[in-house]
Amino acid sequence: MTVTAMTTRPGLAELGLPSGQRARLYRLLYQHGLGNGTAIFLPYDQGLEHGPRDFFANPAASDPKYVIRLALEGGFNAIAIQIGLAEKFYWEYAGEIPLILKLNGKTDIPTSIDPLSPVNATVREAVRLGADAVGYTLYVGSPAQEHDFRQYLAIRDEARQLGMPLIVWSYPRGTAIDGKGGKDSFYAVDYAARTASELGADVVKVNFPHPEKQDGVPPAYQGEISLQHAISAVVRSANRTLLLVSGGERAGDEAMLEKARQSMEAGATGLIFGRNVWQREHEESLRFAGQLREILAKYPS
Amino acid sequence: MTVTAMTTRPGLAELGLPSGQRARLYRLLYQHGLGNGTAIFLPYDQGLEHGPRDFFANPAASDPKYVIRLALEGGFNAIAIQIGLAEKFYWEYAGEIPLILKLNGKTDIPTSIDPLSPVNATVREAVRLGADAVGYTLYVGSPAQEHDFRQYLAIRDEARQLGMPLIVWSYPRGTAIDGKGGKDSFYAVDYAARTASELGADVVKVNFPHPEKQDGVPPAYQGEISLQHAISAVVRSANRTLLLVSGGERAGDEAMLEKARQSMEAGATGLIFGRNVWQREHEESLRFAGQLREILAKYPS
Amino acid sequence: MTVTAMTTRPGLAELGLPSGQRARLYRLLYQHGLGNGTAIFLPYDQGLEHGPRDFFANPAASDPKYVIRLALEGGFNAIAIQIGLAEKFYWEYAGEIPLILKLNGKTDIPTSIDPLSPVNATVREAVRLGADAVGYTLYVGSPAQEHDFRQYLAIRDEARQLGMPLIVWSYPRGTAIDGKGGKDSFYAVDYAARTASELGADVVKVNFPHPEKQDGVPPAYQGEISLQHAISAVVRSANRTLLLVSGGERAGDEAMLEKARQSMEAGATGLIFGRNVWQREHEESLRFAGQLREILAKYPS
Amino acid sequence: MTVTAMTTRPGLAELGLPSGQRARLYRLLYQHGLGNGTAIFLPYDQGLEHGPRDFFANPAASDPKYVIRLALEGGFNAIAIQIGLAEKFYWEYAGEIPLILKLNGKTDIPTSIDPLSPVNATVREAVRLGADAVGYTLYVGSPAQEHDFRQYLAIRDEARQLGMPLIVWSYPRGTAIDGKGGKDSFYAVDYAARTASELGADVVKVNFPHPEKQDGVPPAYQGEISLQHAISAVVRSANRTLLLVSGGERAGDEAMLEKARQSMEAGATGLIFGRNVWQREHEESLRFAGQLREILAKYPS
Amino acid sequence: MTVTAMTTRPGLAELGLPSGQRARLYRLLYQHGLGNGTAIFLPYDQGLEHGPRDFFANPAASDPKYVIRLALEGGFNAIAIQIGLAEKFYWEYAGEIPLILKLNGKTDIPTSIDPLSPVNATVREAVRLGADAVGYTLYVGSPAQEHDFRQYLAIRDEARQLGMPLIVWSYPRGTAIDGKGGKDSFYAVDYAARTASELGADVVKVNFPHPEKQDGVPPAYQGEISLQHAISAVVRSANRTLLLVSGGERAGDEAMLEKARQSMEAGATGLIFGRNVWQREHEESLRFAGQLREILAKYPS
């Protein structure tokens, strides 16, 4: 396969955005965090997705108030939480740091051969709470995609009508994906980025692609492919959908920072790091967040 | 695992509550029962959940009028019943004791490998009947969680719009839970408390956790863990969602009272005891209720 | 098991009824039939439930006009039919005899391992046709109970809003019931009566319980239990939901009359007999109906 | 079994019809065709139900314009077609011949173990197009009857509100029927006629019953039964629902005419013949239609 | 089988079109492209249907802006894209080239034994974006046809109410089709064309039929059948539904051009070619588009 030159990060003016969406995206990208058009978001829905065990490494992180304050102190652009925490904890910090209301989610208790993330809040509620964006998890390639697309349409349509930016957690999942290189193969992540773009996401969150995972992937994704090449292709597949790279499970700092650099170099708009940030002591969290900010600072737009 | 110090019970002022929810919760916690911010509720939906056999130990309890009077005489904060009994029996006692309208329920006749508790009444009806809260059973971890979350969303959304507090019976259930320590393992109860909190419950009802049930639970929940440690962690996982501990099947009085003490010590807001109260003679019921009240009296807020 | 003394039949004034429901129930119980607070209803939905073969014993009964006239001549309190017959035949007798519009039903052609009776008419249509009650078949214990409860809620809610009494055909059914004593065990019928009461039926129709069917029933329902004891317990489980005993398949007259006596003695409000009435010659039908009326005449309220 | 005397065909005045339905039925039965209260309808939905192969015997019949003109020339009372053909072809002949808009249909490509005919147009559209009736295929006895009844209710309710007569294609189908004598046994057709009547059809279309198909039918339908006896019983089961006999697959003319005579003798209102009419040359079609008209002319009402 | 003479392409005046649909179809057929009543559309939804791998042959085609410009430069009548690309890229070219908003789509990751293409945008959104038609993929013969027809009805009904032409991608699919000659047998394509016509499509897109694929097709489709005969029959089955022939996977130019000629000769309205156009270098794309236009120029209406 051949791939052409680096993609430049799309600017807000190119996106054909209606007024409400543009106002909120501008606030997220230019009035918080570094204010330079990049973004780093703090996701905190793991209490629902994995349960309290995710907080055992740093018990303080079990307290939503602690995590919201961490987002403020660490200079994050926004925090992404579910309705329950948003209602009970965000009111104390409303306006100080933007809110991304995550609209769907599920526990990881039952098996996930045909996963679907059910909606538990509405865009209207995001407006009521003063949120600047909503988040939706789309399980790309799930046998349940029919239900997922339908559910997604209702959210996207309501978001458009209320001028609310929509961030899609675009996650390849399900038995078919398991047989085609797995959920973070270059093939799967590339397809997930494009799917979010085709379906009208304003922003897409993807995992960093692993081009070396090639078992069962289509021929076009086989052969020697560099990490930089892969993430650049993924950003291009997202075209005018702003792209965020996810931190995923906690891993080594140097590897994470390198992926952050490669992502920004490829044209990503920013990062969305949760467990890598708050699954450590408070000072360590701030130090690591500072390192991520240093990277973003090199990519103003 | 390490766990930090005791959680203090959250006060109403911390919860970011809209006016209607706050008014009704204030009525439940400060104008009935002991009036000291604690609560003891009398649930009476076993006629639907298990059938009339639950009343054979004390046939008088088959009569809803008897049980409502028992709640009044025993100084309970409220009674929780289904729509049919609420319509036909509550009108005689309306205003004297608060009503929690339980909105869903099911018989235990068919097997429950993927349980879901279907809704049989609406929040609007709770308002019509003069209820001060609604109850919803969420089967955390059920393979049917997608349907459950969707059904729950409709109830929560209607409750918010009508200013009605929502109490979630947060019950781990289903085949996956059976393979991960069972429905009352510390892991399962802890996850259930957090799930209710993430999904926006105002109050959550959980079973007392059994930290010794460790077959198949995640590593973080393995090892020597005390009962006090477990219930404290569960209260913390619920964070600003007020927590009630359930009595469950009838058991020895001393064990029940000890669990009640440990729960209140951990920061629980109160208790919800049904069969342990009314599956005995009238005087015995009142004596036991008095013992529970003595415990609650030590935890004013 | 021990069971306490006879239940007295509940009066309308005890039921907390809104105006519309009370007016229509008063008409059914005090302005038709014997006018003494008892009732005998004529159900005629077997053409849908079993097909025309039910009419072969008395071909005249195939004609809905014949059966409506039989109800009039036999002094029944009302006739219960489906929408199609109600629209085409009831208009000729509107006002002369009350109409119970049966809102759901099904053919018995496909197997019924998880039965559900789909709705084919609305409460609004019952109002339009001048009906005094609506009927709904609930298959208690069916694996499809989730769908059934949801469908039932919509009907009950509409009935409440239109002041229309709701009569529940509360039928234990499905594979789980088959393994727990069967559809007319005391356990099953007792649970069915309570379920209708918990879910807000105004009137419940049950089969006469068979306490001798004990294979697989819970321990509480095992042992020597008399028929009178069983039917009394069932009436008590229904509490303030008025109870009707069903005739079921045609059987010997003496046995039927004895069951009718025991039911009324236990506090039932009345009877609902179809095939036992119209599956015989016209004069025989009237004679048998007269015998039932004689029994009811002994239980005024 | 014993069956009583011939049924007389019901007149419009007996049916308790609201104004809109009566006006449209009057137009269909007394202002088109022979104008004598009988009817012969031309159904033309085989292009959807079986595909274009049904037109290979007479390729001209592939053209909807040809078939509509044939209905006009042959003196039919109406043509029954799907929305697509109604929109594109009926406008040229609007008013000249009545339109029955068939509201549901399906291809015969997938297997039909639990058939359901999905809706593809609405009653509102029938009104917009100037139709005088709507058609609905009900698969009596299908394991999918729950979905079918629900879908049917929505159509019937909308039809009632718009004063539109409803013609039910009442077809026994599915695995259970296959094991009980098959789709055109006397048992199945008789049950189908009654089901349509119970569910509120204004007109029902059935296949001619085959009393000799007795494998697996209930005992009441076993034994020596004549064709005339069978069709008379079916008409009686439909009671005040007007009955049409379907031609079905193309067969010998004499046999078809004999069945037509027997049906009218039994009290049927008319015939609905498609393939037997248009699967032959133009002149032959008109000649056969003329023979059918001669029969109908003998049964004025 | 015998087939009669060539069908003439239907003109707009014959179609009984309401004003809005006629205005938009006139714009598509007479004010863009050649303006002679023919059409060539550029579909670009493969990024969703197959993923980015479809762009690897010509990486420039990964950029929606490149493809929209190609449609403009190549003299296409319209471009057919999904909502996400329409919102972010079409605004720059709005009015210059018509937009067909494709309303449903899916990834090809999970298996497709009972395929259904879920809706991800609404007709209302098509109006908001200034589209001149909407597209819907119908999987004819899929075991999921019940859901598909229901979903389709909602779209068609909304399209009619908003005066928006509806183009149906009529694709035979699913296990039953696989056993009856496959998705591009003459039998399957012919049935698909007729199905779209019966269900009210304004325009239908089909694949070119392969009459030599006869394994399992009905007898009527067996024997020696020429390509010209087959495509002519398909156009006739579509009757007054305008027919477009699809290019499908990229193939040899001469074969494609020959099929285009045969289709136009048979009475097709035009072509819809995507991968055959943009899966090559820019100049080559324009050259091939020019060859297609030369063919269309010979069939003005």
Side-chain angles (χ1 to χ4, degrees):
Chain A
M1 63 177 276
T2 48
V3 171
T4 51
M6 293 288 106
T7 306
T8 307
R9 196 161 74 220
L12 292 189
E14 283 178 79
L15 308 184
L17 290 170
S19 185
Q21 281 159 269
R22 188 160 172 173
R24 288 185 172 97
L25 282 176
Y26 186 83
R27 202 177 302 149
L28 283 168
L29 299 177
Y30 293 101
Q31 298 183 325
H32 289 271
L34 291 167
N36 69 345
T38 66
I40 176 165
F41 297 129
L42 190 68
Y44 182 63
D45 60 351
Q46 293 82 358
L48 175 59
E49 297 287 339
H50 313 134
R53 70 187 154 97
D54 269 21
F55 310 127
F56 284 14
N58 175 29
S62 164
D63 182 0
K65 185 167 183 168
Y66 168 87
V67 175
I68 296 177
R69 293 186 59 90
L70 186 63
L72 261 173
E73 296 164 16
F76 284 77
N77 293 64
I79 187 159
I81 51 182
Q82 300 277 348
I83 184 74
L85 305 190
E87 287 190 327
K88 297 206 197 69
F89 291 91
Y90 183 68
W91 63 274
E92 288 189 72
Y93 301 94
E96 297 183 50
I97 182 167
L99 169 66
I100 297 166
L101 187 66
K102 187 80 197 314
L103 299 183
N104 62 348
K106 63 177 185 59
T107 75
D108 67 356
I109 298 171
T111 58
S112 283
I113 55 173
D114 55 348
L116 175 75
S117 185
V119 165
N120 62 60
T122 66
V123 180
R124 178 174 41 78
E125 292 188 296
V127 172
R128 162 167 72 84
L129 292 169
D132 280 317
V134 291
Y136 182 94
T137 296
L138 187 77
Y139 287 127
V140 175
S142 168
Q145 75 177 333
E146 294 167 19
H147 302 285
D148 207 358
F149 279 26
R150 255 197 291 279
Q151 178 177 265
Y152 169 81
L153 167 56
I155 295 295
R156 188 186 57 69
D157 192 32
E158 194 188 4
R160 285 296 182 274
Q161 292 184 41
L162 294 171
M164 182 66 71
L166 172 57
I167 304 178
V168 172
W169 271 235
S170 199
Y171 284 172
R173 286 287 189 290
T175 45
I177 281 292
D178 294 344
K180 296 181 179 177
K183 67 185 183 180
D184 52 6
S185 70
F186 175 24
Y187 161 67
V189 174
D190 199 26
Y191 203 158
R194 181 79 189 198
T195 297
S197 165
E198 296 266 350
L199 297 186
D202 295 299
V203 182
V204 59
K205 173 195 184 190
V206 295
N207 284 311
F208 200 91
H210 287 245
E212 77 282 6
K213 298 196 175 174
Q214 305 192 350
D215 273 10
V217 304
Y221 288 93
Q222 293 176 358
E224 191 87 20
I225 302 169
S226 74
L227 290 174
Q228 186 64 59
H229 178 117
I231 184 65
S232 296
V234 168
V235 170
R236 210 163 34 246
S237 288
N239 48 72
R240 287 182 180 167
T241 296
L242 307 181
L243 187 137
L244 304 174
V245 172
S246 168
E249 290 182 25
R250 190 166 172 198
D253 281 10
E254 257 327 298
M256 296 307 300
L257 294 169
E258 178 58 20
K259 284 182 181 175
R261 267 178 226 113
Q262 290 175 314
S263 302
M264 296 308 293
E265 194 64 29
T269 291
L271 309 168
I272 179 157
F273 275 45
R275 284 170 285 174
N276 281 282
V277 170
W278 47 253
Q279 279 186 342
R280 48 177 111 199
E281 294 296 315
H282 186 251
E283 288 312 306
E284 271 300 292
S285 296
L286 292 179
R287 193 188 53 74
F288 183 63
Q291 290 175 313
L292 294 171
R293 283 164 56 94
E294 276 174 36
I295 293 168
L296 297 189
K298 295 177 186 151
Y299 297 89
S301 68
Chain B
M1 65 178 277
T2 48
V3 171
T4 52
M6 292 289 105
T7 305
T8 306
R9 196 162 72 221
L12 291 190
E14 283 178 79
L15 308 184
L17 290 170
S19 184
Q21 282 159 270
R22 188 160 172 172
R24 287 185 172 96
L25 281 175
Y26 185 83
R27 202 177 304 150
L28 283 168
L29 299 177
Y30 293 100
Q31 298 184 324
H32 288 272
L34 291 168
N36 70 345
T38 66
I40 176 165
F41 296 128
L42 191 68
Y44 182 64
D45 61 350
Q46 293 82 358
L48 175 59
E49 297 288 339
H50 313 135
R53 69 186 155 98
D54 269 21
F55 311 128
F56 285 13
N58 175 28
S62 166
D63 182 0
K65 185 166 182 169
Y66 169 87
V67 175
I68 296 177
R69 293 185 58 89
L70 186 62
L72 261 173
E73 296 165 15
F76 284 77
N77 293 63
I79 187 159
I81 49 181
Q82 299 278 347
I83 183 75
L85 306 190
E87 287 189 328
K88 297 205 196 69
F89 292 91
Y90 183 68
W91 63 275
E92 287 189 71
Y93 302 93
E96 298 182 50
I97 182 168
L99 169 66
I100 298 165
L101 187 66
K102 186 79 198 313
L103 299 183
N104 62 348
K106 64 178 185 57
T107 74
D108 67 356
I109 298 172
T111 58
S112 282
I113 54 174
D114 56 348
L116 175 75
S117 184
V119 165
N120 61 59
T122 66
V123 180
R124 178 174 41 78
E125 292 188 296
V127 173
R128 161 167 74 84
L129 292 169
D132 280 318
V134 291
Y136 182 94
T137 296
L138 187 77
Y139 287 128
V140 175
S142 167
Q145 76 176 333
E146 294 167 18
H147 303 284
D148 207 357
F149 280 25
R150 254 197 291 280
Q151 178 178 265
Y152 169 81
L153 168 56
I155 296 296
R156 189 186 57 69
D157 192 31
E158 195 188 3
R160 285 297 183 272
Q161 292 184 42
L162 294 170
M164 182 65 72
L166 173 56
I167 304 178
V168 171
W169 271 235
S170 198
Y171 284 172
R173 285 289 187 287
T175 45
I177 281 292
D178 293 344
K180 295 182 181 178
K183 67 185 183 180
D184 53 6
S185 70
F186 175 26
Y187 161 68
V189 174
D190 199 26
Y191 204 158
R194 180 81 189 197
T195 297
S197 164
E198 296 266 349
L199 296 187
D202 294 300
V203 182
V204 60
K205 173 195 184 191
V206 294
N207 284 311
F208 200 90
H210 286 246
E212 77 282 6
K213 299 196 175 174
Q214 304 191 351
D215 273 8
V217 304
Y221 288 93
Q222 295 175 357
E224 191 86 20
I225 302 170
S226 74
L227 290 175
Q228 185 64 60
H229 177 116
I231 184 64
S232 297
V234 168
V235 171
R236 207 163 37 246
S237 288
N239 49 72
R240 288 182 179 167
T241 296
L242 307 181
L243 188 136
L244 303 174
V245 171
S246 169
E249 290 183 27
R250 189 165 174 199
D253 281 11
E254 256 328 297
M256 295 310 299
L257 294 169
E258 178 57 20
K259 283 182 182 175
R261 266 178 226 113
Q262 289 174 315
S263 300
M264 297 308 293
E265 195 63 28
T269 291
L271 309 168
I272 179 158
F273 275 44
R275 283 170 287 175
N276 281 281
V277 170
W278 47 253
Q279 279 187 342
R280 48 177 113 198
E281 295 296 316
H282 187 251
E283 288 312 306
E284 272 300 291
S285 295
L286 292 179
R287 193 189 53 74
F288 183 63
Q291 289 175 313
L292 295 171
R293 283 164 54 95
E294 277 175 36
I295 293 167
L296 296 190
K298 295 177 186 149
Y299 297 90
S301 67
Chain C
M1 63 178 276
T2 47
V3 170
T4 52
M6 294 288 105
T7 305
T8 307
R9 195 162 73 222
L12 292 189
E14 284 178 78
L15 308 183
L17 291 170
S19 184
Q21 281 159 268
R22 187 159 174 174
R24 287 185 171 96
L25 281 176
Y26 186 83
R27 201 177 304 149
L28 283 168
L29 299 178
Y30 293 100
Q31 299 184 324
H32 288 271
L34 292 167
N36 69 345
T38 66
I40 175 165
F41 295 128
L42 190 68
Y44 183 62
D45 61 350
Q46 294 82 357
L48 175 60
E49 297 288 339
H50 313 133
R53 68 186 156 99
D54 269 21
F55 310 127
F56 285 13
N58 175 27
S62 166
D63 182 0
K65 185 167 182 168
Y66 169 88
V67 176
I68 295 178
R69 293 183 59 89
L70 186 63
L72 261 172
E73 296 164 15
F76 284 78
N77 293 62
I79 187 159
I81 49 181
Q82 299 278 346
I83 183 75
L85 305 190
E87 288 189 327
K88 296 204 197 70
F89 292 90
Y90 182 68
W91 63 274
E92 286 189 74
Y93 302 94
E96 299 183 49
I97 182 166
L99 168 67
I100 298 166
L101 187 66
K102 187 79 197 314
L103 299 183
N104 61 348
K106 63 176 185 59
T107 74
D108 67 356
I109 299 171
T111 58
S112 281
I113 54 173
D114 55 349
L116 174 75
S117 184
V119 166
N120 62 60
T122 66
V123 180
R124 180 173 39 78
E125 292 189 295
V127 172
R128 162 168 72 84
L129 292 170
D132 280 317
V134 291
Y136 182 94
T137 296
L138 188 77
Y139 287 128
V140 175
S142 167
Q145 77 176 331
E146 294 167 17
H147 302 285
D148 207 357
F149 280 25
R150 254 197 291 281
Q151 178 177 264
Y152 169 81
L153 167 56
I155 295 296
R156 189 186 56 69
D157 192 32
E158 195 189 2
R160 286 296 183 273
Q161 292 183 40
L162 294 170
M164 181 65 71
L166 173 56
I167 304 178
V168 171
W169 273 234
S170 199
Y171 285 173
R173 285 288 188 288
T175 45
I177 281 291
D178 293 344
K180 296 181 180 177
K183 66 185 184 181
D184 52 7
S185 69
F186 175 26
Y187 161 68
V189 174
D190 199 26
Y191 204 157
R194 181 80 189 197
T195 297
S197 165
E198 296 266 350
L199 296 187
D202 294 299
V203 182
V204 60
K205 172 195 183 191
V206 295
N207 285 311
F208 199 91
H210 286 244
E212 76 282 7
K213 298 196 177 176
Q214 303 190 351
D215 274 10
V217 304
Y221 288 93
Q222 294 175 358
E224 191 87 21
I225 303 170
S226 73
L227 290 175
Q228 185 64 62
H229 178 115
I231 183 65
S232 297
V234 168
V235 171
R236 206 163 38 246
S237 288
N239 49 71
R240 289 182 180 168
T241 296
L242 306 181
L243 188 135
L244 303 174
V245 172
S246 170
E249 290 183 27
R250 191 167 171 196
D253 282 10
E254 255 329 297
M256 296 309 299
L257 294 169
E258 178 57 21
K259 284 183 181 175
R261 267 178 226 112
Q262 289 174 315
S263 302
M264 295 309 293
E265 195 63 29
T269 291
L271 308 168
I272 178 160
F273 274 44
R275 285 171 286 175
N276 281 282
V277 170
W278 46 254
Q279 278 187 342
R280 49 177 110 200
E281 295 296 315
H282 187 249
E283 288 311 306
E284 272 300 290
S285 296
L286 292 179
R287 192 188 53 76
F288 183 63
Q291 290 176 314
L292 295 171
R293 282 164 55 95
E294 278 174 34
I295 294 168
L296 296 190
K298 297 178 185 147
Y299 297 90
S301 66
Chain D
M1 62 179 278
T2 48
V3 171
T4 51
M6 293 289 103
T7 304
T8 307
R9 196 162 72 221
L12 290 190
E14 286 179 77
L15 308 184
L17 290 169
S19 184
Q21 281 160 268
R22 188 160 173 173
R24 287 185 172 97
L25 281 176
Y26 186 82
R27 202 177 302 149
L28 283 168
L29 300 177
Y30 293 99
Q31 299 183 323
H32 288 271
L34 291 167
N36 69 345
T38 66
I40 174 165
F41 296 128
L42 190 69
Y44 183 62
D45 61 350
Q46 294 82 358
L48 175 60
E49 298 286 339
H50 313 133
R53 69 188 155 97
D54 269 22
F55 310 128
F56 286 14
N58 174 27
S62 165
D63 182 0
K65 185 166 181 168
Y66 168 88
V67 176
I68 295 177
R69 294 184 60 89
L70 186 63
L72 261 173
E73 296 164 14
F76 284 77
N77 293 63
I79 187 159
I81 50 181
Q82 300 278 347
I83 183 75
L85 305 190
E87 287 189 327
K88 296 204 198 69
F89 292 91
Y90 183 69
W91 64 274
E92 287 188 73
Y93 302 94
E96 299 182 48
I97 182 166
L99 169 66
I100 297 166
L101 187 66
K102 186 79 198 311
L103 299 183
N104 61 348
K106 64 176 184 58
T107 74
D108 67 356
I109 298 171
T111 58
S112 282
I113 55 174
D114 55 348
L116 174 76
S117 184
V119 165
N120 62 59
T122 66
V123 180
R124 178 174 41 78
E125 291 189 295
V127 173
R128 161 168 72 84
L129 292 168
D132 280 317
V134 291
Y136 181 94
T137 297
L138 187 78
Y139 287 128
V140 175
S142 167
Q145 76 176 333
E146 293 167 20
H147 302 285
D148 207 358
F149 280 26
R150 254 198 291 281
Q151 179 178 263
Y152 170 81
L153 167 56
I155 295 295
R156 190 185 56 69
D157 192 32
E158 195 188 3
R160 286 296 184 273
Q161 293 184 41
L162 295 170
M164 181 65 70
L166 172 57
I167 304 178
V168 171
W169 272 234
S170 199
Y171 285 172
R173 286 286 188 289
T175 45
I177 281 291
D178 294 344
K180 296 181 180 177
K183 66 185 183 180
D184 52 6
S185 70
F186 174 25
Y187 160 67
V189 174
D190 199 27
Y191 204 158
R194 180 81 188 198
T195 297
S197 165
E198 296 266 350
L199 297 186
D202 294 300
V203 182
V204 60
K205 173 195 182 191
V206 295
N207 285 311
F208 199 91
H210 287 245
E212 76 282 4
K213 299 197 176 174
Q214 303 190 350
D215 274 9
V217 304
Y221 288 92
Q222 293 175 357
E224 191 87 18
I225 302 170
S226 73
L227 291 175
Q228 185 65 61
H229 177 117
I231 183 65
S232 296
V234 168
V235 171
R236 208 163 36 245
S237 289
N239 49 72
R240 289 183 179 167
T241 296
L242 307 181
L243 187 136
L244 304 174
V245 172
S246 169
E249 289 183 27
R250 192 168 170 197
D253 281 9
E254 256 327 297
M256 296 308 300
L257 294 169
E258 178 57 21
K259 283 183 181 174
R261 268 178 224 113
Q262 290 175 314
S263 301
M264 295 309 292
E265 194 64 28
T269 291
L271 308 169
I272 178 158
F273 274 45
R275 284 171 287 173
N276 280 281
V277 170
W278 47 253
Q279 280 186 344
R280 48 177 111 198
E281 293 297 313
H282 187 249
E283 288 312 305
E284 272 299 290
S285 296
L286 293 178
R287 194 188 53 74
F288 183 64
Q291 289 175 313
L292 294 171
R293 283 165 54 95
E294 277 173 36
I295 294 168
L296 296 189
K298 296 178 185 148
Y299 297 90
S301 67
Chain E
M1 61 177 280
T2 48
V3 171
T4 51
M6 293 289 104
T7 305
T8 307
R9 196 163 72 222
L12 291 190
E14 285 178 76
L15 307 184
L17 291 169
S19 185
Q21 282 160 269
R22 188 161 173 172
R24 287 186 173 97
L25 282 175
Y26 186 83
R27 203 177 302 150
L28 283 168
L29 300 177
Y30 293 100
Q31 298 183 325
H32 288 271
L34 291 167
N36 70 343
T38 66
I40 175 165
F41 296 128
L42 190 68
Y44 182 62
D45 61 350
Q46 294 82 359
L48 175 60
E49 297 286 340
H50 312 134
R53 70 187 153 98
D54 269 21
F55 310 126
F56 286 13
N58 175 28
S62 164
D63 182 1
K65 184 166 182 169
Y66 169 87
V67 175
I68 296 177
R69 293 185 60 90
L70 186 62
L72 261 173
E73 296 164 15
F76 285 77
N77 292 63
I79 187 159
I81 49 181
Q82 300 277 348
I83 183 74
L85 305 190
E87 288 189 327
K88 296 205 198 70
F89 292 91
Y90 183 68
W91 63 274
E92 287 188 73
Y93 301 94
E96 297 183 50
I97 183 167
L99 169 67
I100 298 165
L101 187 66
K102 187 78 198 315
L103 299 183
N104 62 348
K106 64 176 186 56
T107 74
D108 67 357
I109 298 172
T111 58
S112 282
I113 54 175
D114 55 349
L116 175 75
S117 184
V119 165
N120 62 59
T122 65
V123 180
R124 178 173 41 78
E125 292 188 296
V127 172
R128 163 168 70 85
L129 291 169
D132 279 317
V134 292
Y136 182 92
T137 296
L138 187 77
Y139 287 127
V140 175
S142 168
Q145 76 176 333
E146 294 167 18
H147 302 284
D148 207 358
F149 279 26
R150 255 197 290 281
Q151 179 178 264
Y152 169 81
L153 167 56
I155 295 295
R156 189 185 57 69
D157 192 32
E158 195 188 3
R160 285 297 183 273
Q161 293 185 40
L162 295 171
M164 181 66 70
L166 172 56
I167 304 177
V168 171
W169 272 234
S170 198
Y171 285 172
R173 285 287 189 287
T175 45
I177 282 291
D178 293 344
K180 296 181 181 179
K183 66 185 183 181
D184 53 6
S185 71
F186 174 25
Y187 161 67
V189 174
D190 199 27
Y191 204 158
R194 181 80 188 197
T195 297
S197 166
E198 296 267 350
L199 297 186
D202 294 299
V203 183
V204 60
K205 174 196 183 189
V206 296
N207 284 311
F208 199 91
H210 286 245
E212 77 282 6
K213 299 197 176 174
Q214 305 191 349
D215 274 10
V217 304
Y221 288 92
Q222 293 175 359
E224 191 86 19
I225 302 169
S226 74
L227 291 175
Q228 185 65 59
H229 178 117
I231 183 66
S232 296
V234 168
V235 170
R236 211 163 34 247
S237 289
N239 48 71
R240 288 182 179 167
T241 296
L242 307 181
L243 187 136
L244 304 174
V245 172
S246 169
E249 289 183 26
R250 190 166 173 199
D253 282 9
E254 257 327 297
M256 296 308 299
L257 295 169
E258 179 58 21
K259 283 182 181 173
R261 266 179 226 113
Q262 290 175 314
S263 302
M264 296 308 293
E265 194 64 28
T269 291
L271 309 169
I272 179 159
F273 275 45
R275 284 171 286 174
N276 281 280
V277 170
W278 47 253
Q279 279 186 344
R280 49 177 111 199
E281 293 297 315
H282 187 251
E283 288 311 306
E284 273 299 290
S285 296
L286 293 179
R287 194 188 52 74
F288 183 64
Q291 291 176 312
L292 294 171
R293 283 164 55 95
E294 277 173 35
I295 293 168
L296 297 190
K298 297 177 185 149
Y299 296 91
S301 67

